[in-house]
Each structure stands twice: as structure tokens, then as C-alpha cells.
Amino acid sequence: MVLVLKERKEPGELKLLRMLKARGGLVDDSRFWNLEKGYEGEVVFDKWFSRMDGEWIVVNDLLLEHAGSLFQIDSLVIGVDRVYLFEVKNFEGDFLLEQYRWYSGSKEIKDPLLQMQRCEAALRQLLRSLGYQLPIESNLIFINPEFNLYNCPPKLPIVFCSQLNRFSNKLVRQSGGSARLSARHSRLAEKLCDLHLEKSPYERLPEYRYEKLLKGIVCVGCGGMGVRYERKMIICNECNFKEEYKASVIRSITELMILFPEKPLTSKIIFEWCNGLVTLRSIQRILINNFSLEGFGRSSHYIKF
Ligand SMILES: [Zn+2]
């Protein structure tokens, strides 16, 4: 049985970048696509691992600190006799490995194995400090079937998509089939969850300004902004996605609060943020019913219940 102690969530930074992208707030969207692709790959990996035979505790997406340095683990799995560290990459296309240097086309990229080894070393020290001597096995998983690495020596701890079935057989064999996890394994997993650090999603964001962002309502279906109001519904002109207007407005208010936490919530600002798609009166009603009013007179504004 695979017990997932810490579920993977969509990264906060990715959510924020998506909001900015929809409103024309990203000049360079490469970070967005990298995060989106990376997350997609990790989700595929999670699904694959969830079908594994034997006993496992999975702790996803850990940000840990040891001896003053931070390290991130895509997927940590506790097995009976060892801890597995999985670094998942969703690279696509032809890559080349030449004398420890990695290339995508002619562009050199960061060595993912080196990253993984550093992570493993830090994790080993951390486990020791917690009183665990379990061996660590690290694997770099290339989850995308369209990925190819030229010149890859077979001895490297790399698993390609085409090898996943055989790799899962190996894991099951290694775990000794019917061997059981103990309370000590569970305690380690819980300890690691406790040590997980939450990173602020705002840290790496590019600069953005309210005035520069497109105003309107973003379609949930396609992420576009070509929507219209029709009989209490917000309807997308591109993908025809329909949503009850109250839900659209509440979502837009939440977006505004996340992107501009310091902005006071007033019906006027939200009317402007939604680009007048919904009447001021409706917005007032939504605010009264879903948020609470703070302050008096001119300085009054709404906050979350
Ligand atoms: Zn749409």
C-alpha cells in the first residue's frame, strides 16, 4: 500500500504567475512554462507511484534545511530498508551528455544529477541528525516519453520513461515483497513533514502593477479574457465555458486579494477589476453576502469572513 503523508499541491508561485499571465502581466513567461511543465511531470510520477506494490510512505515536495542550506525534494519515499529520493524531470526532446555537461540542443543546462547528489548529501546529514541510519537511494526520473539523452552511460542513476515498468519491479523486489513498515518509519515521515518549510510564493515574482494589468474576468476553461455576461452567467467567447456570475466575481475578488493584498476591497475597485462586466449593484450584493465590512464612511472596505 502506498500511503501519501504529504500530498502534492500546485505551487503557489505557479498560481500567481498564471493569474499575471492571463492579465498580460508577464513579459517573460518562461518561468511559468517551466513550473507548469515540471508540476505536470510530478503529477504523472505520483500517479505512477501510487500503483506500486508493497508498503511505502510518500512525502511529496519537501523544502528542508540542514546546516544553513536549503534543499528541495520532489518526492521522498520511505521503504522498508531505505529512503528513496526521486528527482522528477519533465524534459522533452533531444539532450546530450558530454563529459559531465548537459546540453539541450547547443545550450548548456544545469546538471540535474549534481543537484540530486547535493540533495542526497544534505538529506543524509539531516537523517543522521534525527537518529536514522537508513541508506538513501536517489534516482533521476525522466517522466516524458518524448525525452532522449544521447551518450548516457548505463550506470548513472537515471530512469527513462520506457524503463518505468522494470524499475517498479526492481523497487518491489528491493523492498522484500511482504516486509512491513514499522512505527519508526512513520515517525520519520512525520518528522520530515514537520521540518518542511513553506516558501513564500511572492519571492521570485516579476514586478507587476495594478494599472498595467488587464481588467476583466478570466475564463476558468481556457484562461482567456474574452468573456461576456448573459442571463446571470459569464460565458467565454473562445471556449464557451459557462459559469454563474457570482462564482466568477468571487474568484476575481480572490485573485485581486492574492495579487494585491494591500488593496482595500471596495465595490468600486472590484467593478473596475472586472471591467464593468457585472453591475456595481450586483458586486455590492456579493460583497455584503460573502465578505464582512470594516471601517466607516469613506474608508470602509470589505475583508474575508
Ligand atoms: Zn474560455
Side-chain angles (χ1 to χ4, degrees):
M1 201 193 73
V2 178
L3 171 73
V4 180
L5 199 64
K6 184 171 173 294
E7 293 277 356
R8 193 181 304 285
K9 282 188 295 192
E10 190 179 41
E13 187 190 350
L14 175 57
K15 279 188 196 157
L16 278 157
L17 287 174
R18 185 176 296 120
M19 289 176 195
L20 288 175
K21 189 175 179 306
R23 294 181 181 269
L26 284 189
V27 185
D28 173 11
D29 59 6
S30 54
R31 171 93 184 142
F32 168 78
W33 290 114
N34 281 342
L35 284 176
E36 172 112 311
K37 209 151 193 275
Y39 178 64
E40 258 175 38
E42 287 161 5
V43 170
V44 174
F45 173 82
D46 293 347
K47 219 171 171 180
W48 170 77
F49 199 90
S50 71
R51 296 188 295 261
M52 191 72 65
D53 286 330
E55 289 207 348
W56 312 92
I57 304 176
V58 178
V59 191
N60 285 316
D61 209 6
L62 278 172
L63 180 66
L64 299 168
E65 197 229 302
H66 186 72
S69 53
L70 287 172
F71 57 104
Q72 200 173 342
I73 299 174
D74 290 343
S75 201
L76 181 138
V77 175
I78 299 175
V80 175
D81 69 334
R82 70 192 84 183
V83 171
Y84 293 89
L85 191 156
F86 295 110
E87 171 77 22
V88 182
K89 294 281 181 212
N90 194 11
F91 293 173
E92 202 176 320
D94 290 323
F95 286 64
L96 170 70
L97 180 54
E98 210 167 53
Q99 293 182 337
Y100 305 110
R101 287 175 192 264
W102 290 65
Y103 298 90
S104 161
S106 56
K107 204 178 112 213
E108 189 175 349
I109 60 160
K110 262 197 216 156
D111 180 349
L113 278 177
L114 190 66
Q115 270 172 274
M116 188 173 80
Q117 281 153 8
R118 282 189 187 144
C119 211
E120 184 186 308
L123 179 67
R124 181 168 297 114
Q125 289 177 24
L126 178 67
L127 291 187
R128 261 190 217 146
S129 73
L130 298 173
Y132 286 84
Q133 301 282 352
L134 283 166
I136 301 173
E137 182 184 320
S138 299
N139 287 284
L140 177 59
I141 312 279
F142 287 106
I143 200 79
N144 198 310
E146 295 299 319
F147 172 79
N148 175 47
L149 181 61
Y150 286 111
N151 257 347
C152 178
K155 268 188 256 160
L156 293 179
I158 292 178
V159 181
F160 297 101
C161 182
S162 55
Q163 299 173 308
L164 281 174
N165 282 334
R166 275 162 288 154
F167 182 63
S168 64
N169 292 339
K170 186 193 126 178
L171 291 182
V172 172
R173 254 198 330 274
Q174 258 171 199
S175 74
S178 57
R180 309 294 293 250
L181 291 173
S182 68
R184 195 166 147 76
H185 290 104
S186 311
R187 273 201 303 276
L188 173 60
E190 278 156 21
K191 186 81 202 157
L192 290 171
C193 287
D194 289 345
L195 290 173
H196 169 69
L197 302 164
E198 234 18 278
K199 196 169 49 175
S200 159
Y202 296 93
E203 241 165 57
R204 278 191 66 167
L205 284 193
E207 258 180 60
Y208 57 92
R209 286 197 9 231
Y210 176 81
E211 296 73 29
K212 289 271 170 81
L213 296 184
L214 293 172
K215 310 297 186 290
I217 290 176
V218 181
C219 165
V220 185
C222 68
M225 294 195 75
V227 297
R228 63 181 191 277
Y229 175 89
E230 215 177 274
R231 292 194 203 121
K232 304 201 174 210
M233 300 295 273
I234 295 291
I235 304 168
C236 181
N237 300 326
E238 296 300 319
C239 73
N240 269 320
F241 187 90
K242 290 189 182 79
E243 186 180 33
E244 218 257 329
Y245 80 99
K246 280 181 205 157
S248 304
V249 172
I250 291 174
R251 194 163 38 75
S252 305
I253 295 173
T254 310
E255 250 178 59
L256 182 72
M257 288 165 72
I258 293 173
L259 288 173
F260 302 98
E262 71 293 341
K263 231 176 172 51
L265 284 189
T266 64
S267 44
K268 224 183 115 207
I269 286 174
I270 291 149
F271 180 72
E272 183 184 82
W273 180 244
C274 295
N275 203 23
L277 276 162
V278 175
T279 64
L280 198 57
R281 272 192 68 134
S282 305
I283 287 171
Q284 274 161 349
R285 251 197 319 268
I286 291 170
L287 279 170
I288 289 168
N289 291 329
N290 299 279
F291 297 82
S292 50
L293 188 64
E294 207 179 66
F296 298 98
R298 280 173 154 249
S299 71
S300 64
H301 61 273
Y302 288 86
I303 55 164
K304 234 180 176 169
F305 271 142

